Amino acid sequence: MKVAFTTLGCRVNQYETEAMTEKFIKQGYEVVHFDEYADVYVINTCTVTNMGDKKSRQMIGRARRTNQQAVIAVAGCYSQIAPKKVAKIPGVDVVIGTRNKGEIVQLVEECIMGKKQIVSVKDVLRNNVFEELNIQEYQDKTRAFLKIQDGCNSFCSYCAIPFARGAVCSKTPEKIIEEVNRLASHGFKEIILSGILISSYGVDLEGNWNLMRVLEKVDKIDGIERVRIGSVSPKFFTEDVIIRISKLKKICPHFHISLQSGCNETLKRMNRHYTTDEYNNVVESLRNNIKDVSITTDVIVGFPGETEEEFNTTYKFLEKIKLSKMHIFKYSPREGTKAAEMKEQIDGNVKDERSNKLIELNKILEKEFMNKFIHRRLKVLYEEKVKGKEGFYEGYTPNYIKVMSNSKTNIEGEILETEILDVEEEHSLGTLFF
C-alpha cells in the first residue's frame, strides 16, 4: 500500500504531517510523492484564508484524478471548521479534525474495510488536552519542527483558528526535553519550537511554566546547535525576557513577531492587544540587545474599515521600523468571525493595490537588510541542493538569510562558515570556508 501527503499552512501542520507519515510507515505503507499513484492520499488542510480552503479542494481533486480508486483523507483546520462541507466534496472518504490526527491510519483502514465514508471530528472547544504525536524517525534530517503547544484563546476578530484548534494546551516540559534529546541523537542540528500561539505556552500547566523557561532548558541540551521559535506575540518580549534570551547560546537571532497592522485604530478592530508604540519598543529593544537580529512579521491589508489614511499610517510605520521581511496577506472573511460581519468591507481591487505597495516595500527592506551582511562571514546550515543548479546548495544563517553556495562535495546537513558575496532576490550568494 502506498500513501502520499500534502501539507497546507503552518509549521504545526508540517509537524503533524510528519507524525502521521510515521504512523503509516509503521503499518507497512510506502510513502510516495503526492503527484504519484498512491492507494491513500492525506491532505492536511489550512483555513486561515479562503485561499487555504480553495487549495485544499484543489488538492482533493488532484488526488482523485491521479487514482480514482484511492482513499482520500482530509485532516486539519478546514475539516475541523467545516466537516459537513468537506464530506460533501466528491471523492472524500475520511474526514478528521485537528485533535485526532493520531487516529488517521485506523480510520483509513476502517474506511477501506467498510467501504463507506468516515467523518470523525471532535469538539475542540471542549477538549483542552494536548494530543501527543511524538515522532521517532524523522524524514527530514536537517532541521526538525517540534510542536509544543496547540490552541488559541485570543479570538482576534478576523481569525477562525480558535474554533479550529480549541483552547490553549501545552506539551509537558518533561516530554519536550525527552523529544529534543531524541532529535539530538538523530543528528539534527536545528529545531524549531512550534505552536498555534506559542507565546501562551504553559498557561494550562502547573508549576509556573512558560516559553522562556522552556527555551532556557532546551538551550542546555547537548547536540542541538540551533533553536528557533515560531511566530510570537509582541507581548511575549518583556525587558526581562529579552535580556534572558540574549544570554542563551543556541537561540537563533530571528523572531517572527505578529503585527498585522501598523495603525492603532485597525489593531483595535482586529482585537489585537498591543499598540504600534509597544511593538516598536520591542523591536528597538531586541536590536539593542541581540546582535544581527532579524525581525519578520505578517501584515493584513484591506481589513474591514481600513481607510486610505489608516493604510498610509501602516505603510509609514513599516517604512520606519524597517523589518527584515514581511509576509503580506489580503484580508479574507472567515465565516463565524466578528470581522466577517463588519460593515465597510474593502473592495478587492483596493486590497490588491495595497498589497502590491507593501510587497514592493518588502523587497526594498529585505534587500537593505541582507546588504548589511555583504563581505561578512556567517554560519549557514545547508539544507538541500538547489534545483536546476548543479553543485549548488542552499540553507539559512542564524538570522534567517537564505544563502546559496557552490560546493564540490555534498554539504547537506552541515553548518559551514560562509562569506556573503552578493544579494539576489530572496537569496544571498556565498562562498564557503572549510
Side-chain angles (χ1 to χ4, degrees), residues 20 23-24 27 29 40 71 73 94 96 100-114 116 118 120 122:
M20 289 190 289
K23 291 183 182 300
F24 275 97
Q27 292 299 315
Y29 286 75
V40 179
V71 170
V94 178
I96 66 173
N100 60 332
K101 292 179 180 179
E103 302 170 8
I104 181 74
V105 180
Q106 175 190 338
L107 294 173
V108 163
E109 294 189 343
E110 282 182 18
C111 173
I112 293 171
M113 295 295 291
K116 64 178 182 179
I118 293 177
S120 177
K122 298 179 179 178

